[in-house]
Coordinates of all heavy atoms in Angstrom, one line a residue:
Q1 N -20.7 -6.4 175.9 CA -21.3 -7.4 175.0 C -22.8 -7.1 174.7 O -23.2 -7.2 173.5 CB -21.2 -8.8 175.6 CG -21.7 -9.9 174.7 CD -20.8 -10.0 173.5 OE1 -19.6 -10.2 173.5 NE2 -21.5 -9.9 172.3
E2 N -23.5 -6.6 175.7 CA -24.9 -6.2 175.4 C -24.9 -5.0 174.5 O -25.8 -4.8 173.7 CB -25.6 -5.9 176.7 CG -25.8 -7.1 177.6 CD -26.5 -6.7 178.9 OE1 -26.9 -5.6 179.1 OE2 -26.6 -7.6 179.8
W3 N -24.0 -4.0 174.6 CA -23.9 -2.9 173.7 C -23.6 -3.4 172.3 O -24.3 -2.9 171.4 CB -22.8 -2.0 174.2 CG -22.2 -1.1 173.1 CD1 -21.1 -1.2 172.3 CD2 -22.8 0.2 172.7 NE1 -21.0 -0.2 171.5 CE2 -22.0 0.7 171.6 CE3 -24.0 0.9 173.0 CZ2 -22.3 1.9 171.0 CZ3 -24.2 2.1 172.4 CH2 -23.4 2.6 171.4
I4 N -22.7 -4.3 172.1 CA -22.5 -4.9 170.8 C -23.7 -5.5 170.2 O -24.0 -5.4 169.0 CB -21.3 -5.9 170.8 CG1 -20.0 -5.1 171.2 CG2 -21.1 -6.6 169.5 CD1 -18.8 -6.0 171.4
D5 N -24.4 -6.3 171.0 CA -25.6 -6.9 170.6 C -26.7 -5.9 170.2 O -27.4 -6.0 169.3 CB -26.2 -7.8 171.7 CG -25.3 -9.0 171.9 OD1 -24.5 -9.4 171.1 OD2 -25.4 -9.6 173.0
G6 N -26.7 -4.8 171.0 CA -27.6 -3.7 170.7 C -27.3 -3.0 169.3 O -28.2 -2.5 168.6
L7 N -26.0 -2.9 169.0 CA -25.7 -2.3 167.7 C -26.3 -3.1 166.5 O -26.7 -2.5 165.5 CB -24.1 -2.3 167.5 CG -23.4 -1.3 168.3 CD1 -21.9 -1.4 168.0 CD2 -23.8 0.1 167.9
D8 N -26.4 -4.4 166.7 CA -27.0 -5.2 165.6 C -28.5 -5.0 165.4 O -29.0 -5.3 164.4 CB -26.7 -6.7 165.9 CG -25.2 -7.1 165.9 OD1 -24.5 -6.3 165.2 OD2 -24.8 -8.0 166.5
E9 N -29.1 -4.4 166.4 CA -30.5 -4.2 166.4 C -30.9 -2.7 165.9 O -32.0 -2.4 165.8 CB -31.2 -4.4 167.7 CG -31.0 -5.9 168.2 CD -31.6 -6.1 169.6 OE1 -32.1 -5.1 170.2 OE2 -31.5 -7.2 170.1
W10 N -29.8 -1.9 165.7 CA -30.1 -0.6 165.2 C -30.8 -0.7 163.8 O -30.5 -1.6 163.0 CB -28.8 0.2 165.1 CG -28.3 0.7 166.4 CD1 -28.7 0.3 167.6 CD2 -27.3 1.7 166.6 NE1 -28.0 1.0 168.6 CE2 -27.1 1.8 168.0 CE3 -26.5 2.4 165.7 CZ2 -26.2 2.7 168.5 CZ3 -25.6 3.3 166.3 CH2 -25.4 3.4 167.7
P11 N -31.7 0.2 163.5 CA -32.3 0.2 162.2 C -31.3 0.3 161.0 O -30.3 1.0 161.1 CB -33.3 1.4 162.2 CG -33.5 1.7 163.6 CD -32.2 1.3 164.3
S12 N -31.5 -0.5 160.0 CA -30.6 -0.4 158.8 C -30.8 0.9 158.1 O -31.8 1.5 158.1 CB -30.9 -1.6 157.9 OG -32.2 -1.6 157.4
T13 N -29.7 1.2 157.4 CA -29.7 2.5 156.6 C -29.0 2.3 155.3 O -28.2 1.4 155.1 CB -29.0 3.6 157.4 OG1 -28.9 4.8 156.6 CG2 -27.5 3.2 157.7
E14 N -29.4 3.0 154.3 CA -28.8 3.0 153.0 C -27.7 3.9 152.8 O -27.0 3.9 151.7 CB -29.9 3.2 151.9 CG -31.1 2.2 151.9 CD -30.6 0.8 151.6 OE1 -29.6 0.6 150.9 OE2 -31.2 -0.2 152.2
D15 N -27.5 4.8 153.7 CA -26.5 5.8 153.6 C -25.1 5.1 153.8 O -24.9 4.5 154.8 CB -26.7 6.9 154.7 CG -25.7 8.1 154.6 OD1 -24.8 8.0 153.7 OD2 -25.8 9.0 155.3
T16 N -24.2 5.3 152.8 CA -22.9 4.6 152.8 C -22.1 5.1 154.0 O -21.4 4.3 154.7 CB -22.2 4.8 151.5 OG1 -23.0 4.4 150.4 CG2 -20.9 4.1 151.5
T17 N -22.1 6.4 154.2 CA -21.3 7.0 155.3 C -21.8 6.5 156.6 O -21.0 6.1 157.5 CB -21.3 8.5 155.3 OG1 -20.9 9.0 154.0 CG2 -20.5 9.1 156.4
A18 N -23.1 6.4 156.8 CA -23.6 5.9 158.1 C -23.3 4.5 158.3 O -23.0 4.0 159.4 CB -25.2 6.2 158.1
R19 N -23.4 3.7 157.2 CA -23.1 2.3 157.3 C -21.6 2.1 157.7 O -21.2 1.2 158.5 CB -23.4 1.6 156.0 CG -24.9 1.5 155.8 CD -25.2 0.9 154.4 NE -24.7 -0.4 154.2 CZ -24.7 -1.1 153.1 NH1 -25.3 -0.5 152.0 NH2 -24.2 -2.3 153.0
R20 N -20.7 2.9 157.1 CA -19.3 2.8 157.4 C -19.1 3.2 158.9 O -18.3 2.5 159.6 CB -18.5 3.7 156.5 CG -17.0 3.7 156.7 CD -16.3 4.6 155.8 NE -14.9 4.7 156.0 CZ -14.3 5.5 156.9 NH1 -15.1 6.4 157.6 NH2 -13.0 5.5 157.1
D21 N -19.7 4.3 159.3 CA -19.5 4.7 160.7 C -20.0 3.6 161.7 O -19.4 3.4 162.7 CB -20.2 6.0 161.0 CG -19.6 7.2 160.3 OD1 -18.4 7.1 159.9 OD2 -20.3 8.2 160.1
R22 N -21.1 3.0 161.3 CA -21.6 1.9 162.2 C -20.7 0.7 162.3 O -20.5 0.1 163.3 CB -23.0 1.5 161.7 CG -23.7 0.6 162.7 CD -25.2 0.4 162.3 NE -25.9 1.6 162.2 CZ -27.2 1.7 161.9 NH1 -27.9 0.6 161.6 NH2 -27.8 2.9 161.9
E23 N -20.1 0.4 161.1 CA -19.1 -0.7 161.1 C -17.9 -0.4 161.9 O -17.3 -1.2 162.6 CB -18.7 -1.0 159.7 CG -17.9 -2.3 159.5 CD -18.6 -3.5 160.0 OE1 -19.9 -3.6 159.9 OE2 -18.0 -4.4 160.5
L24 N -17.5 0.9 161.9 CA -16.3 1.3 162.7 C -16.7 1.2 164.2 O -15.8 0.9 165.0 CB -15.9 2.8 162.3 CG -15.3 2.9 161.0 CD1 -15.0 4.4 160.7 CD2 -14.0 2.2 160.9
L25 N -18.0 1.5 164.5 CA -18.4 1.3 165.9 C -18.3 -0.1 166.3 O -17.9 -0.4 167.5 CB -19.8 1.8 166.1 CG -20.1 3.3 166.1 CD1 -21.6 3.6 166.3 CD2 -19.3 4.0 167.3
R26 N -18.6 -1.0 165.5 CA -18.5 -2.5 165.8 C -17.1 -2.8 166.0 O -16.7 -3.6 166.9 CB -19.2 -3.3 164.7 CG -20.7 -3.2 164.6 CD -21.2 -4.2 163.6 NE -22.7 -4.2 163.5 CZ -23.3 -3.5 162.6 NH1 -22.6 -2.8 161.7 NH2 -24.6 -3.5 162.5
V27 N -16.2 -2.3 165.1 CA -14.8 -2.6 165.3 C -14.2 -2.1 166.6 O -13.5 -2.8 167.3 CB -14.0 -2.1 164.1 CG1 -12.5 -2.2 164.3 CG2 -14.4 -2.8 162.8
R28 N -14.6 -0.8 166.9 CA -14.1 -0.2 168.1 C -14.7 -0.9 169.4 O -14.0 -1.1 170.4 CB -14.4 1.3 168.2 CG -13.7 2.0 169.3 CD -14.0 3.5 169.2 NE -13.4 4.1 168.0 CZ -12.2 4.5 167.9 NH1 -11.3 4.4 168.9 NH2 -11.7 5.1 166.8
S29 N -15.9 -1.4 169.3 CA -16.6 -2.1 170.4 C -15.9 -3.4 170.6 O -15.6 -3.8 171.8 CB -18.0 -2.3 170.1 OG -18.7 -1.1 169.9
R30 N -15.5 -4.1 169.6 CA -14.8 -5.4 169.7 C -13.4 -5.2 170.3 O -12.9 -6.0 171.1 CB -14.8 -6.1 168.4 CG -16.1 -6.7 167.9 CD -15.9 -7.7 166.8 NE -15.4 -7.0 165.6 CZ -16.1 -6.5 164.6 NH1 -17.5 -6.6 164.7 NH2 -15.6 -6.0 163.5
D31 N -12.8 -4.1 169.9 CA -11.5 -3.8 170.5 C -11.6 -3.5 172.0 O -10.8 -4.0 172.8 CB -10.9 -2.5 169.8 CG -9.5 -2.2 170.3 OD1 -8.6 -3.0 170.1 OD2 -9.4 -1.1 170.9
V32 N -12.6 -2.8 172.4 CA -12.8 -2.5 173.8 C -13.1 -3.8 174.6 O -12.5 -4.1 175.6 CB -14.0 -1.6 174.0 CG1 -14.4 -1.4 175.5 CG2 -13.7 -0.2 173.5
L33 N -13.9 -4.7 174.0 CA -14.2 -6.0 174.6 C -12.9 -6.8 174.7 O -12.7 -7.5 175.7 CB -15.2 -6.7 173.7 CG -15.7 -8.1 174.3 CD1 -16.4 -7.9 175.6 CD2 -16.7 -8.7 173.3
E34 N -12.0 -6.8 173.7 CA -10.8 -7.5 173.8 C -9.9 -7.0 174.9 O -9.2 -7.8 175.6 CB -10.1 -7.4 172.4 CG -8.9 -8.3 172.3 CD -7.6 -7.6 172.8 OE1 -7.5 -6.4 172.7 OE2 -6.6 -8.3 173.1
H35 N -9.9 -5.7 175.1 CA -9.1 -5.1 176.2 C -9.6 -5.5 177.5 O -8.9 -5.8 178.5 CB -9.1 -3.6 176.1 CG -8.2 -3.1 174.9 ND1 -7.8 -1.8 174.8 CD2 -7.6 -3.7 173.9 CE1 -7.0 -1.6 173.8 NE2 -6.9 -2.8 173.2
I36 N -10.9 -5.6 177.7 CA -11.6 -6.0 178.9 C -11.2 -7.5 179.2 O -10.9 -7.8 180.3 CB -13.1 -5.8 178.9 CG1 -13.4 -4.3 178.8 CG2 -13.8 -6.4 180.1 CD1 -14.9 -4.0 178.6
E37 N -11.2 -8.3 178.1 CA -10.8 -9.7 178.3 C -9.4 -9.8 178.8 O -9.1 -10.6 179.6 CB -11.0 -10.4 176.9 CG -12.4 -10.6 176.4 CD -13.1 -11.6 177.2 OE1 -12.5 -12.3 178.1 OE2 -14.3 -11.8 176.9
R38 N -8.5 -8.9 178.3 CA -7.1 -8.9 178.8 C -7.1 -8.5 180.2 O -6.3 -9.2 181.0 CB -6.3 -7.9 177.9 CG -6.0 -8.4 176.5 CD -5.4 -7.3 175.7 NE -4.2 -6.8 176.3 CZ -3.6 -5.7 175.9 NH1 -4.1 -5.0 174.8 NH2 -2.5 -5.2 176.5
V39 N -7.8 -7.5 180.7 CA -7.8 -7.2 182.1 C -8.4 -8.3 182.9 O -7.8 -8.7 184.0 CB -8.7 -5.9 182.3 CG1 -8.9 -5.6 183.8 CG2 -8.0 -4.7 181.6
L40 N -9.5 -8.9 182.5 CA -10.1 -10.0 183.2 C -9.1 -11.2 183.3 O -8.9 -11.8 184.4 CB -11.4 -10.5 182.5 CG -12.1 -11.6 183.2 CD1 -12.5 -11.3 184.6 CD2 -13.4 -12.0 182.4
G41 N -8.4 -11.5 182.2 CA -7.4 -12.6 182.2 C -6.3 -12.3 183.2 O -5.8 -13.2 183.9
H42 N -5.8 -11.0 183.2 CA -4.7 -10.6 184.2 C -5.2 -10.7 185.6 O -4.5 -11.3 186.5 CB -4.3 -9.2 183.9 CG -3.2 -8.7 184.8 ND1 -3.4 -7.9 185.8 CD2 -1.9 -9.1 184.8 CE1 -2.3 -7.6 186.4 NE2 -1.3 -8.4 185.9
V43 N -6.4 -10.3 185.9 CA -6.9 -10.4 187.3 C -7.0 -11.9 187.7 O -6.7 -12.2 188.8 CB -8.3 -9.7 187.4 CG1 -8.9 -10.0 188.7 CG2 -8.1 -8.2 187.2

């Protein structure tokens, strides 16, 4: 969660490819967080 919050503080960029890659990082980070939630729920 702190990593996800840190992504929001990265400097903004006008490069379309960089913005797309950063958005994919957010999506993948949320997916990792959801998997951790599943593990925590199972435990």
Side-chain angles (χ1 to χ4, degrees):
Q1 185 61 59
E2 291 179 8
W3 159 263
I4 295 175
D5 294 340
L7 283 179
D8 296 333
E9 298 178 1
W10 284 14
S12 60
T13 177
E14 299 298 331
D15 187 356
T16 304
T17 302
R19 292 173 59 184
R20 178 179 177 274
D21 290 343
R22 188 171 300 180
E23 189 60 34
L24 290 177
L25 283 180
R26 292 191 179 94
V27 173
R28 191 176 294 275
S29 298
R30 290 193 294 267
D31 181 67
V32 173
L33 185 61
E34 188 271 335
H35 286 195
I36 294 175
E37 292 284 357
R38 288 169 55 190
V39 172
L40 181 59
H42 180 255
V43 171

